[in-house]
Amino acid sequence: MRLRAILLAGIVGILSVLLLGLPSQASDVGGDEADEGPTTVVSGTVRNASDENKPVEGVTITATPDATGEEVEATSDEDGEYEMEVPALGRTVIAIDVDSLPDDVSLAEGAPTELTPVLDVGRPSFTAIFRVGQSESTAIGTLDQLAQNVYNGLYFGIILALGALGLSMIFGTTGLTNFAHGEMVTFGAIMTYTFNVAVGMNIFLSGIIAIALSALFGYLQDRYFWRILRHRGTGLIAMMIVSIGLQFFLRNVFQFFTGGRTENYNDFTTPSGISAGPVTFSMRDVYCMIIAIVLLTVVAAALKFSRVGRAARAISDNPALAASTGINVDRVVTLVWTVGVALAGTCGIILGFSQSVKFDLGAQILLVMFAAITVGGLGSISGAIIGSIIVGVLVETSTLIIPSELKIAAAMFLLIVILLVRPQGLLGNKERIG
Amino acid sequence: MDIITGTLSAAVSVQAAYFCLAAIGLNVQFGYAGLLNFGQAGFLAVGAYGFAVAVASFELPFFAAVAVGLGCTALLALLLGIPTLRLRADYLAIATIAAAEVIRLFFGATFREYFKGRDGVSGFTADFQSVNPFDSSVLGFRPGEFWVMVVGWTLVVLSSVFVWLLMRSPWGRIMKGIREDEDAVRSLGKNVYSYKMQALVLGGLIGALGGLVLALGQNSVQPDNFNADLTFIVYTMLILGGAARIFGPIFGAIVFWAALSFIGAVLTKLTRGDDPFIPSWLMTDNQVGSVRFMVVGLCLMALMIFRPQGVFGDRKEIALDAR
């Protein structure tokens, strides 16, 4: 009965989200004139890397689609942001007008003044990135930078652990390699954004609602989807491919509602940095880390000491044996899904601060989460947390040696190496590999 | 009317041909050998980039450049296969998808003088187009495009015939045997590892031909052409048509691509204009892309749940049990 009541409350909640979400959608497109062809939104922010990434105002950016040959122009505002609608698809030349840069600002040495992306229907918006100003990275001592990167890595790793722990718990109890887990992360961020910005609620309240909705999302997903598939006898590989389909679907639903834009919460978007020796950090990030550590400790302790946690671990070891000892496997698995998705949602809420809210926020870290739980040992609780921190630190410190676009590749590389030399991961049991 | 002609031309377009080749390659790996390769996009990327860079930066002749593209792909398959083919199916999936991501990021961020970053390589089809026998448009396709289509579909037919002959040979029977029960095949004294490697290389090479057709068709290659979504779309096509069938991947690729363009065209029509049929608060034409890909996700889920053997396949022949 209690579950029914929660369910009902949740459905009302989701309905209200949908209802409240729609008007904001309408206001975004209301100003559109009916134009003939498909359009793509080209946007970006001009920041000066040599001056603390301050926004640069009044820079002219032009976009010329090959198809029409007509130039579209935009100028950056006081926040350095610009946006324009390009009335064509296909190859487009996006250029920055170097003469429009203020006198004391110039492009980074060797940086291109033109980008030539191919705009297509699957990508309704494009973020153009020009490297303005010489990055200071060479000016800072390598050791100091190492300290900063290790801190960044620890932060990223601890937040990542929230998502990875959920993924690992679900894998442990059901054997499902859930490719849609990244979308659970995105869900938390988008719900927080909806309540915080579209509805106008306080950020803390929005976050709590988002966590509750994530938990509900996890509950409903298992109760009315995965459990049915398990009972139908769908194989693990088939379910893995189903989760890929779900990932595809959810990611595009998110894109449908957010339109591919990069959004920020109303509060705490640019916290002031505090310097402690070589490391700069913000109180916002510290509080986020504390919240994450508390949640991780609570969940890990519950799995270790509580009755239901022991049941979950028993199911991980041997579902049939667990069921024969009187454990209600379905109920425990549904609980694991509820907690796992709530953790993933929390991961997304926190990532939304540092990486902004976007429809593919979670999809981008899915493989990093896989790397984390493989390194730690699939299905292992402490392994997921330790693996996340190792991967987080590796990803952030790798930028000292390799280009930062490749930092995710460092995690993928570690994943492949671990599969080579120790496929059970650092803390996994050997027999889990089969 | 233009929706119907648009759908028909999508069904025979360059894109359909390259999806066909990618799906035929995947069929060798997943359908016949039971290898859950989630890195097919990586093979396409290496084939396309190997060819494009060989022409654009090193000015090799056409066939030498094709050989470079295929050679790089075979090398990648060997490098990837040596460590991963001994792993269980889901580990193989994660390892291959990770490798494909590394390849995509690598093309986007390193050796900019050759790979040109995220803008990609372009301007390498002059040799190919100089032997174009068509000088006026055919059936509404530009001559250059039609030439790529002819070559692309020829490759589809050739590789299908090749796979068909191969799979009725003893080699093909061993391949299916591995999919069904690799321990049984091992007990017959066959080197399962080596056979799996051959399937991975062969499937990768056919996929690389697809990458080549893509590169020739759009006269450029960008790293974002080869993200993980490409692999998943190809999986959807293969499962729709039916894995472990010769016509499965071809049927799946053509029908699915035509259906996607049809949905796109209809939705665009319904959302465009002064007073669109679908009100703009519900959906605008910028959102058509998302809706199309939602359909991809839904199709993949529904197929996997209700009909994993697709249109032509046999349920007993689909490798869906972890081992």
Side-chain angles (χ1 to χ4, degrees), chain A residues 142-207:
Chain A
T142 318
L143 260 182
D144 288 357
Q145 216 190 341
L146 182 67
Q148 178 71 46
N149 284 14
V150 168
Y151 162 77
N152 290 350
L154 278 175
Y155 172 76
F156 180 54
I158 288 170
I159 306 308
L160 186 73
L162 289 170
L165 180 59
L167 187 61
S168 184
M169 280 162 64
I170 292 168
F171 177 84
T173 46
T174 64
L176 170 69
T177 313
N178 184 14
F179 275 79
H181 201 71
E183 277 49 47
M184 313 297 140
V185 172
T186 320
F187 182 80
I190 288 188
M191 283 302 128
T192 311
Y193 172 78
T194 308
F195 283 101
N196 182 225
V197 179
V199 181
M201 277 188 196
N202 173 305
I203 184 79
F204 298 105
L205 198 57
S206 313

Side-chain angles (χ1 to χ4, degrees), chain B residues 49 107-112 115-121 221-223:
Chain B
Y49 264 94
F107 282 140
T110 55
F111 297 102
R112 284 177 197 277
F115 298 142
K116 310 279 193 291
R118 297 193 57 182
D119 298 345
V121 187
V221 279
Q222 285 104 19

Side-chain angles (χ1 to χ4, degrees), chain A residues 31-111:
Chain A
D32 269 6
E33 283 151 41
D35 34 31
E36 279 305 297
T39 58
T40 304
V41 176
V42 174
S43 62
T45 310
V46 186
R47 291 181 185 281
N48 186 359
S50 50
D51 187 17
E52 299 177 333
N53 274 328
K54 282 197 182 124
V56 186
E57 192 183 349
V59 183
T60 309
I61 313 282
T62 58
T64 321
D66 284 0
T68 60
E70 279 170 40
E71 194 175 273
V72 184
E73 199 178 280
T75 309
S76 62
D77 61 14
E78 69 264 32
D79 295 327
E81 291 171 3
Y82 61 90
E83 188 173 298
M84 56 188 146
E85 216 165 289
V86 181
L89 300 174
R91 189 170 169 279
T92 301
V93 180
I94 301 173
I96 182 166
D97 183 0
V98 184
D99 297 337
S100 70
L101 287 171
D103 291 339
D104 53 338
V105 179
S106 60
L107 275 189
E109 219 169 286

Side-chain angles (χ1 to χ4, degrees), chain A residues 22 25-26 29 32 34-41 85 91 114-118 121-124 126 129 171 175 177 179 225 229 232 234-249 251-253 255-257 259 367 370 374 378 403 405-406 408-409 412-413 415-416 419-420 423-424 432-434, chain B residues 30 36 38 80 82-84 87-95 97-99 101-102 105-106 108-110 112 118-119 122 218 220 222 224 228-230 232-233 235 239 272-275 280-298 300-301 304-306 308 315 319-323:
Chain A
L22 287 175
Q25 186 66 38
V29 295
D32 269 6
D35 34 31
E36 279 305 297
T39 58
T40 304
V41 176
E85 216 165 289
R91 189 170 169 279
E114 272 187 9
L115 306 170
T116 50
V118 174
V121 187
R123 197 167 60 183
F126 176 80
I129 297 161
F171 177 84
T177 313
F179 275 79
F225 190 63
L229 290 189
R232 278 173 60 108
T234 311
L236 285 179
I237 300 298
M239 281 216 267
M240 178 166 102
I241 299 178
V242 170
S243 81
I244 290 172
L246 184 65
Q247 180 221 37
F248 232 97
F249 176 70
R251 180 153 44 93
N252 284 289
V253 170
Q255 192 183 22
F256 184 88
F257 285 111
L367 289 176
F370 277 144
T374 314
L378 275 181
E405 297 99 317
L406 275 181
I408 301 296
M412 303 299 97
F413 197 69
L415 167 67
I416 296 171
L419 286 176
L420 275 185
Q424 72 270 35
R432 282 219 179 96
I433 300 314
Chain B
F30 173 69
L36 209 55
F38 274 15
L80 192 59
I82 290 169
T84 55
L87 297 171
R88 211 175 62 190
D90 46 355
Y91 282 78
L92 178 70
I94 295 180
I97 197 176
E101 270 309 275
V102 171
L105 293 168
F106 187 78
T110 55
R112 284 177 197 277
R118 297 193 57 182
D119 298 345
S122 57
Q218 55 180 29
S220 66
Q222 285 104 19
D224 288 348
D229 289 0
L230 171 63
F232 298 151
I233 292 175
Y235 259 94
I239 292 168
R272 201 176 280 172
D274 285 331
D275 184 23
S280 61
W281 58 262
L282 188 63
M283 188 182 158
T284 65
D285 54 355
N286 279 334
Q287 291 166 315
V288 170
S290 319
V291 176
R292 280 172 71 199
F293 286 109
M294 280 183 218
V295 173
V296 177
L298 283 178
L300 186 55
M301 276 194 281
M304 221 50 232
I305 295 170
F306 299 111
R315 193 160 196 151
L320 290 174
D321 303 310
R323 64 203 130 146

Side-chain angles (χ1 to χ4, degrees), chain A residues 235-427:
Chain A
L236 285 179
I237 300 298
M239 281 216 267
M240 178 166 102
I241 299 178
V242 170
S243 81
I244 290 172
L246 184 65
Q247 180 221 37
F248 232 97
F249 176 70
L250 288 176
R251 180 153 44 93
N252 284 289
V253 170
F254 296 149
Q255 192 183 22
F256 184 88
F257 285 111
T258 63
R261 289 185 301 273
T262 306
E263 304 284 4
N264 285 306
Y265 303 140
N266 276 346
D267 311 277
F268 306 117
T269 39
T270 43
S272 50
I274 301 167
S275 291
V279 178
T280 307
F281 62 96
S282 70
M283 284 319 282
R284 178 196 75 188
D285 293 351
V286 172
Y287 287 130
C288 286
M289 274 197 279
I290 292 173
I291 294 171
I293 291 170
V294 168
L295 279 175
L296 289 171
T297 317
V298 167
V299 174
L303 282 166
K304 186 100 187 138
F305 300 115
S306 78
R307 245 182 107 76
V308 69
R310 275 201 299 273
R313 284 185 294 132
I315 294 170
S316 293
D317 278 348
N318 189 334
L321 197 60
S324 71
T325 57
I327 294 171
N328 185 340
V329 174
D330 275 336
R331 273 185 76 158
V332 175
V333 168
T334 305
L335 184 69
V336 164
W337 265 95
T338 312
V339 175
V341 176
L343 284 175
T346 316
C347 172
I349 296 169
I350 298 177
L351 281 180
F353 283 115
S354 47
Q355 306 193 354
S356 302
V357 181
K358 210 178 169 212
F359 72 96
D360 63 352
L361 174 73
Q364 298 211 340
I365 63 159
L366 175 73
L367 289 176
V368 185
M369 288 193 285
F370 277 144
I373 64 172
T374 314
V375 169
L378 275 181
S380 154
I381 304 303
S382 43
I385 299 171
I386 292 169
S388 299
I389 291 171
I390 291 174
V391 167
V393 172
L394 173 82
V395 162
E396 291 296 332
T397 51
S398 70
T399 57
L400 292 176
I401 304 162
I402 57 175
S404 61
E405 297 99 317
L406 275 181
K407 65 181 183 182
I408 301 296
M412 303 299 97
F413 197 69
L414 177 68
L415 167 67
I416 296 171
V417 170
I418 282 282
L419 286 176
L420 275 185
V421 295
R422 198 180 156 82
Q424 72 270 35
L426 297 178
L427 299 176

Side-chain angles (χ1 to χ4, degrees), chain B residues 10-11 15-17 19-24 27 153 156 233-243 245-260 299 303 309-313:
Chain B
Q15 280 94 334
F19 279 127
C20 267
L21 285 165
I24 293 169
N27 196 21
W153 288 109
V156 169
I233 292 175
V234 174
Y235 259 94
T236 312
M237 290 169 164
L238 176 61
I239 292 168
L240 172 70
R245 284 286 177 277
I246 294 298
F247 285 110
I250 303 177
F251 176 86
I254 294 176
V255 168
F256 197 72
W257 187 245
L260 271 188
C299 283
L303 276 171
Q309 70 273 41
V311 176
F312 292 125

Side-chain angles (χ1 to χ4, degrees), chain B:
Chain B
M1 199 49 215
D2 51 341
I3 289 179
I4 295 169
T5 51
T7 305
L8 286 178
S9 61
V12 295
S13 64
V14 173
Q15 280 94 334
Y18 103 77
F19 279 127
C20 267
L21 285 165
I24 293 169
L26 193 62
N27 196 21
V28 172
Q29 295 160 347
F30 173 69
Y32 291 109
L35 297 173
L36 209 55
N37 170 23
F38 274 15
Q40 186 70 338
F43 290 105
L44 269 78
V46 171
Y49 264 94
F51 166 75
V53 172
V55 174
S57 296
F58 298 100
E59 291 169 4
L60 292 187
F62 178 78
F63 284 105
V66 172
V68 169
L70 295 181
C72 293
T73 312
L75 192 68
L76 168 74
L78 289 173
L79 282 178
L80 192 59
I82 290 169
T84 55
L85 284 178
R86 293 185 200 280
L87 297 171
R88 211 175 62 190
D90 46 355
Y91 282 78
L92 178 70
I94 295 180
T96 46
I97 197 176
E101 270 309 275
V102 171
I103 290 165
R104 184 175 69 88
L105 293 168
F106 187 78
F107 282 140
T110 55
F111 297 102
R112 284 177 197 277
E113 65 270 36
Y114 298 116
F115 298 142
K116 310 279 193 291
R118 297 193 57 182
D119 298 345
V121 187
S122 57
F124 47 78
T125 52
D127 265 11
F128 177 73
Q129 292 294 354
S130 66
V131 291
N132 185 351
F134 307 100
D135 47 10
S136 59
S137 67
V138 187
L139 298 167
F141 293 103
R142 279 176 286 109
E145 193 184 359
F146 193 74
W147 176 220
V148 180
M149 281 161 59
V150 168
V151 172
W153 288 109
T154 311
L155 287 173
V156 169
V157 172
L158 288 180
S159 49
S160 290
V161 170
F162 180 65
V163 171
W164 179 66
L165 290 174
L166 208 54
M167 290 307 157
R168 31 201 308 272
S169 72
W171 190 89
R173 284 197 293 277
I174 293 172
M175 208 48 87
K176 292 183 204 166
I178 291 173
R179 180 190 66 203
E180 299 304 328
D181 187 346
E182 65 174 76
D183 288 332
V185 174
R186 202 170 278 130
S187 72
L188 293 173
K190 306 291 180 195
N191 185 346
V192 169
Y193 183 67
S194 154
Y195 276 94
K196 281 185 174 179
M197 182 68 90
Q198 292 164 30
L200 189 70
V201 172
L202 179 63
L205 286 178
I206 298 176
L209 289 177
L212 213 67
V213 171
L214 169 75
L216 291 173
Q218 55 180 29
N219 193 12
S220 66
V221 279
Q222 285 104 19
D224 288 348
N225 293 143
F226 305 104
N227 54 20
D229 289 0
L230 171 63
T231 306
F232 298 151
I233 292 175
V234 174
Y235 259 94
T236 312
M237 290 169 164
L238 176 61
I239 292 168
L240 172 70
R245 284 286 177 277
I246 294 298
F247 285 110
I250 303 177
F251 176 86
I254 294 176
V255 168
F256 197 72
W257 187 245
L260 271 188
S261 344
F262 176 76
I263 295 168
V266 169
L267 284 176
T268 310
K269 198 130 202 141
L270 290 180
T271 50
R272 201 176 280 172
D274 285 331
D275 184 23
F277 184 77
I278 299 177
S280 61
W281 58 262
L282 188 63
M283 188 182 158
T284 65
D285 54 355
N286 279 334
Q287 291 166 315
V288 170
S290 319
V291 176
R292 280 172 71 199
F293 286 109
M294 280 183 218
V295 173
V296 177
L298 283 178
C299 283
L300 186 55
M301 276 194 281
L303 276 171
M304 221 50 232
I305 295 170
F306 299 111
R307 207 175 158 83
Q309 70 273 41
V311 176
F312 292 125
D314 177 350
R315 193 160 196 151
K316 292 192 201 89
E317 278 200 73
I318 310 297
L320 290 174
D321 303 310
R323 64 203 130 146

